[in-house]
């Protein structure tokens, strides 16, 4: 399973406005839950928030990968947002975050969860990819660039 398998165009936002890390996690929970309802959205928010309390998922250089595990039959799902104005995310370099890819997986997806996190961390460790995403015009371009770059890395 790769990032392109779990990231859909309708879970990508460009130039999103949020006022805080908590509001960002709420937005991501909503995107990840889709039309599954408020209980699922709340479970996802709680999982993302609980993970952040263990330590920030900010990688540095303006990138964060909030992630969590939830019970039930929720499939592995990803969402991506580029923020209009960066928010503090307690990243190790103290840089505010503007590129955020969130993951949620079922509780039993231990190995797959770690593989997906490694793939995403590798993708966002490349400054040229981050620059491409920051320069993208809209959500469709963001989706195309993430998809293209993910496929390029899987071919290596």
């Amino acid at each position: 399973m790769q990032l392109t398998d779990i990231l859909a165009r309708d879970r990508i936002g460009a130039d999103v406005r949020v006022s805080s890390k908590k509001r960002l996690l709420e937005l991501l929970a909503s995107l990840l839950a889709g039309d599954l309802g408020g209980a699922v959205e709340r479970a996802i928010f709680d999982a993302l928030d609980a993970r952040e309390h263990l330590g920030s998922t900010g990688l540095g250089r303006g990138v964060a990968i909030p992630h969590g595990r939830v019970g039930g039959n929720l499939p592995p799902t990803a969402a991506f947002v580029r923020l209009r104005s960066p928010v503090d995310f307690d990243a190790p370099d103290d840089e505010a975050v503007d590129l955020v890819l969130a993951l949620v997986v079922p509780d039993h997806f231990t190995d797959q969860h770690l593989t997906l996190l490694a793939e995403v961390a590798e993708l966002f460790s490349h400054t040229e990819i981050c620059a491409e995403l920051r320069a993208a015009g809209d959500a469709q371009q963001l989706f195309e660039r993430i998809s293209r770059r993910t496929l390029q890395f899987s071919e290596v």
Side-chain angles (χ1 to χ4, degrees), residues 50-66:
R51 174 57 189 84
E52 288 303 317
H53 281 95
L54 295 175
S56 175
T57 57
L59 300 180
R61 296 178 325 281
V63 176
I65 309 172

Side-chain angles (χ1 to χ4, degrees), residues 27-46:
L27 170 74
L28 292 167
S30 176
L31 287 172
L32 291 164
D35 59 1
L36 296 176
V40 171
E41 185 176 327
R42 184 66 197 182
I44 292 171
F45 171 80
D46 289 343

Side-chain angles (χ1 to χ4, degrees), residues 26 31 66 82 88 92 108 111-112 130 136:
E26 289 170 344
L31 287 172
R82 181 184 67 203
D88 180 36
H108 66 279
D111 292 339
Q112 298 93 330
C130 293

Side-chain angles (χ1 to χ4, degrees), residues 4 11 21 32 40 46 48 54 58 66 69 79 93 107:
T4 54
R11 288 191 304 276
K21 182 178 182 177
L32 291 164
V40 171
D46 289 343
L48 296 176
L54 295 175
R69 296 183 189 165
D93 63 358
D107 282 332

